[in-house]
Amino acid sequence: MTNQRIRTNSNGSELIRARFALRLSEIGFIRNGDWFVLRLSSDLRGLVSFNFAAHREDHLLGVCPIVSLEFCSIAKKLNELTDNPLSKVQPSLSCGLGYLMPEGRWLEWLFNPASADVDENDHIAQICEAIHTYGLPFFADNRSVDTPIENLIHHRFSFKDRASFHLPLAYSLRFQWSSALDLVRNTQSEMLGRTDEAAKSFRSFAQRFIDEISIIDL
């Protein structure tokens, strides 16, 4: 399946998303902007998105499916503490679909936005079948809040900057207040002297988080 050539006729990534919307709806996904959402429980959403590589020398459009998990209680609290719109999608865990497949590596499929002489529906169906076969078990294997804690600690299916926001909130959902506070304070220390936007955003989040936790009788 690596680097399969798929041709489409116009509108590039938006046309591709529209075609995926139809196929993914057959297995329960609903499109929400650039995301495709599968409600797994009252607090858990499985997500599919697509990374696009448009600036290729061969003028093809590379497409890589990404599967993610969003814990709604974590996302809601994170948006509250970072002044984001409450509707902003905030996945805790993400993985390129290829890493979940037998190939075990980054995979992309190639679309040709300039051509209309090949019907790509079969290829779209193959990708959606891979999402069904490998993405849905990823959701099932990581749906407990305890599993994301372990993943976030070791930066599996995540990365350090994301984990610095999500892990304290995951701890707090398990009433592990001391672990949450220790992590936030350690991250604050690690970021001393940093002036980038990620560090500024974390400092604002951390102060609000500490202020909120401080009223709890630990």
Side-chain angles (χ1 to χ4, degrees):
M1 288 193 176
T2 308
N3 293 340
Q4 294 284 346
R5 291 202 174 195
I6 309 169
R7 299 182 181 183
T8 187
N9 54 11
S10 65
N11 298 328
S13 60
E14 179 51 37
L15 178 58
I16 293 168
R17 285 195 184 97
R19 292 185 179 276
F20 275 115
L22 180 61
R23 287 287 187 172
L24 287 173
S25 68
E26 296 173 1
I27 53 175
F29 286 87
I30 297 173
R31 185 174 180 181
N32 179 9
D34 292 344
W35 297 90
F36 298 86
V37 181
L38 179 66
R39 176 66 70 173
L40 300 170
S41 72
S42 60
D43 191 53
L44 187 63
R45 302 198 302 177
L47 307 170
V48 171
S49 57
F50 297 94
N51 279 359
F52 294 94
H55 302 291
R56 297 172 53 92
E57 291 184 0
D58 57 13
H59 305 296
L60 297 175
L61 184 65
V63 179
C64 177
I66 309 294
V67 293
S68 305
L69 271 172
E70 181 188 56
F71 293 82
C72 300
S73 51
I74 292 177
K76 181 176 183 293
K77 181 57 66 175
L78 181 56
N79 287 332
E80 290 174 356
L81 295 176
T82 53
D83 289 330
N84 286 317
L86 291 182
S87 61
K88 182 177 180 180
V89 176
Q90 296 278 12
S92 291
L93 306 177
S94 299
C95 187
L97 184 64
Y99 290 107
L100 304 175
M101 297 172 64
E103 291 85 345
R105 58 188 176 85
W106 182 268
L107 298 181
E108 68 176 6
W109 286 259
L110 301 181
F111 286 68
N112 185 345
S115 299
D117 58 338
V118 174
D119 184 353
E120 76 276 17
N121 285 336
D122 288 345
H123 299 284
I124 296 286
Q126 291 170 9
I127 296 170
C128 291
E129 180 61 29
I131 290 169
H132 182 272
T133 301
Y134 303 104
L136 299 192
F138 171 78
F139 299 154
D141 291 344
N142 293 282
R143 65 184 303 154
S144 164
V145 73
D146 293 320
T147 304
I149 286 176
E150 288 301 310
N151 285 328
L152 289 166
I153 288 172
H154 299 289
H155 304 150
R156 289 194 299 262
F157 308 127
S158 191
F159 48 90
K160 187 173 182 178
D161 281 351
R162 177 194 282 177
S164 67
F165 290 89
H166 287 250
L167 185 53
L169 295 173
Y171 277 136
S172 68
L173 289 175
R174 303 295 292 170
F175 307 108
Q176 298 176 19
W177 310 115
S178 295
S179 295
L181 282 172
D182 288 345
L183 178 61
V184 167
R185 288 168 175 155
N186 288 339
T187 305
Q188 283 180 309
S189 297
E190 292 173 2
M191 290 188 173
L192 285 175
R194 282 179 53 178
T195 59
D196 56 279
E197 289 303 315
K200 292 177 182 177
S201 178
F202 180 80
R203 290 190 190 101
S204 175
F205 159 81
Q207 190 56 59
R208 293 179 182 187
F209 183 80
I210 291 170
D211 290 346
E212 188 168 289
I213 295 299
S214 66
I215 65 174
I216 297 172
D217 183 5
L218 303 181

